[in-house]
Amino acid sequence: MTKLNPINEPEELLSYKISQSYVDFSEFLRRRTGKRKFVAPAHRFLKFFEECDVQWGKIPSYEIIIHTFDDQFVQRNMPVLGWMVKTHQIRDDDMTEQILISQAAIQEMFVAFGDNPPSILQEYLLFLNKRQEQRKSKPSSVRTVFQPIIGLYYHYGLKDNQTPSQAQIDRYLVKNKGHITAIVSFTHYLNTHHQFSLICKRATKRILDKSTYRVVGDKDRKKFERQFIFLAMLEKPLSDKQKIQWINNGIKYFHRFFIDVKALSDVHIRPCEYYEGLMIVQYGDKLFALPKF
């Protein structure tokens, strides 16, 4: 846990109005200490308040900030903008506010690396941001994919332009199986843009009992298709029983994979990070993409 440094009498450095804003921001960060693994100390962003004090004597609007300061300065101080959104000092369209909050959280994670976050992570973050913008996916999807990579680098103490080895990835996934989608995305990026040959081996301690599943034949598949379409036409939200039927018929129709319905109590469901209309159903070491309920 990174502890917050005490405020070193900001009133001696800042005007009264800006000083009060700095104190409020510091208190905002302090309240979250203990709830997050990484909490950025307020003094890391003192330069932002100093610049605002010199130029305007107050914190200006978001539009003025992004048109006055360069992108690197804005990105580094994104946690301040995230605080401004959450305290309603910035009011913009919902998508812009979501982006600011997501980017603020990401920049705050960089506190784990002091003043020198690994360059490869900064490069990868730019790639994810551009991809999110092109796909018009949820801004939070960037954080979802990026946060496990922060954890990977922090765990192994990787710096600058260092990249994880195959052995490090393998060991990390043994203890962090839920991060495999994010690690797959990152290794694909490294393989494509930096000519690596990394792979992700799915770790599992549980071996599926083959008696619980079999391949679905063509005749049965048509039956499951009709049942799935029937469920899709029902009024939402579905009941818990109907959701089980949705998963049961969906896996059998879309993936031709027969699982005993009793075994569905052992599945895990999470959102798909790449397509908003899909969800990921995990059973043992198998992943199934299905339409959302």
Side-chain angles (χ1 to χ4, degrees):
M1 173 63 62
T2 300
K3 296 183 178 180
L4 296 173
N5 289 346
I7 301 171
N8 295 320
E9 299 181 350
E11 63 275 8
E12 296 183 2
L13 304 172
L14 307 169
S15 66
Y16 177 77
K17 190 170 186 177
I18 290 290
S19 174
Q20 287 303 301
S21 294
Y22 180 77
V23 169
D24 291 343
F25 174 62
S26 301
E27 183 59 30
F28 169 79
L29 294 180
R30 184 179 291 109
R31 286 197 300 268
R32 296 183 305 156
T33 303
K35 297 181 180 180
R36 295 190 175 193
K37 187 171 184 179
F38 305 119
V39 178
H43 68 80
R44 285 175 63 92
F45 311 103
L46 182 58
K47 184 67 175 177
F48 175 86
F49 291 89
E50 290 175 341
E51 288 293 330
C52 289
D53 202 12
V54 169
Q55 299 203 43
W56 303 286
K58 63 178 183 179
I59 299 179
S61 67
Y62 171 61
E63 290 75 15
I64 292 177
I65 290 172
I66 61 175
H67 284 96
T68 301
F69 301 118
D70 61 46
D71 291 343
Q72 185 176 0
F73 184 85
V74 172
Q75 278 295 317
R76 177 179 172 80
N77 291 283
M78 196 60 73
V80 183
L81 301 185
W83 162 70
M84 292 174 67
V85 170
K86 291 184 176 182
T87 53
H88 310 295
Q89 298 179 62
I90 288 179
R91 295 182 182 275
D92 211 305
D93 62 272
D94 184 60
M95 179 61 73
T96 298
E97 291 186 0
Q98 286 185 44
I99 291 174
L100 291 177
I101 290 174
S102 178
Q103 291 296 314
I106 290 171
Q107 289 299 321
E108 203 169 327
M109 292 178 206
F110 278 141
V111 72
F113 307 103
D115 293 325
N116 297 298
S119 57
I120 195 73
L121 289 186
Q122 298 181 70
E123 175 189 315
Y124 183 52
L125 178 58
L126 289 175
F127 167 79
L128 292 176
N129 287 336
K130 289 180 181 178
R131 189 176 71 176
Q132 180 270 325
E133 186 176 351
Q134 291 170 351
R135 294 179 175 180
K136 301 187 184 302
S137 54
K138 292 182 179 179
S140 58
S141 65
V142 174
R143 180 182 176 185
T144 301
V145 176
F146 191 67
Q147 186 167 350
I149 312 306
I150 290 278
L152 173 66
Y153 267 66
Y154 181 73
H155 181 75
Y156 289 112
L158 300 175
K159 301 176 181 179
D160 303 322
N161 62 347
Q162 291 180 330
T163 55
S165 67
Q166 183 65 63
Q168 288 173 330
I169 290 175
D170 292 344
R171 289 197 300 270
Y172 188 76
L173 286 176
V174 169
K175 294 184 178 180
N176 300 276
K177 292 187 292 184
H179 293 168
I180 188 164
T181 303
I183 303 298
V184 166
S185 176
F186 182 57
T187 54
H188 178 71
Y189 173 81
L190 292 178
N191 293 344
T192 303
H193 294 81
H194 293 277
Q195 290 72 54
F196 283 87
S197 299
L198 299 168
I199 61 174
C200 288
K201 303 173 184 176
R202 188 178 303 281
T204 179
K205 297 180 181 179
R206 184 172 177 270
I207 300 176
L208 291 176
D209 179 2
K210 292 187 177 180
S211 65
T212 63
Y213 66 88
R214 65 177 185 270
V215 176
V216 174
D218 291 339
K219 184 177 180 180
D220 287 335
R221 186 167 180 259
K222 290 185 179 297
K223 178 182 68 175
F224 296 128
E225 177 186 20
R226 291 194 298 269
Q227 293 175 356
F228 188 86
I229 292 174
F230 172 77
L231 290 168
M233 296 176 67
L234 293 179
E235 185 176 349
K236 305 297 187 297
L238 299 179
S239 66
D240 289 344
K241 182 178 180 180
Q242 290 168 336
K243 288 180 179 179
I244 291 292
Q245 294 173 342
W246 181 286
I247 295 172
N248 182 33
N249 291 307
I251 290 177
K252 292 171 181 174
Y253 169 60
F254 290 107
H255 299 277
R256 305 178 74 105
F257 194 89
F258 187 97
I259 301 178
D260 191 316
V261 69
K262 295 179 181 179
L264 293 179
S265 61
D266 197 31
V267 301
H268 300 279
I269 302 171
R270 65 173 184 268
C272 179
E273 297 167 355
Y274 304 105
Y275 300 98
E276 292 186 21
L278 297 181
M279 62 183 180
I280 302 298
V281 177
Q282 181 174 356
Y283 177 65
D285 65 345
K286 294 188 177 296
L287 297 177
F288 304 98
L290 296 177
K292 286 184 178 179
F293 300 124

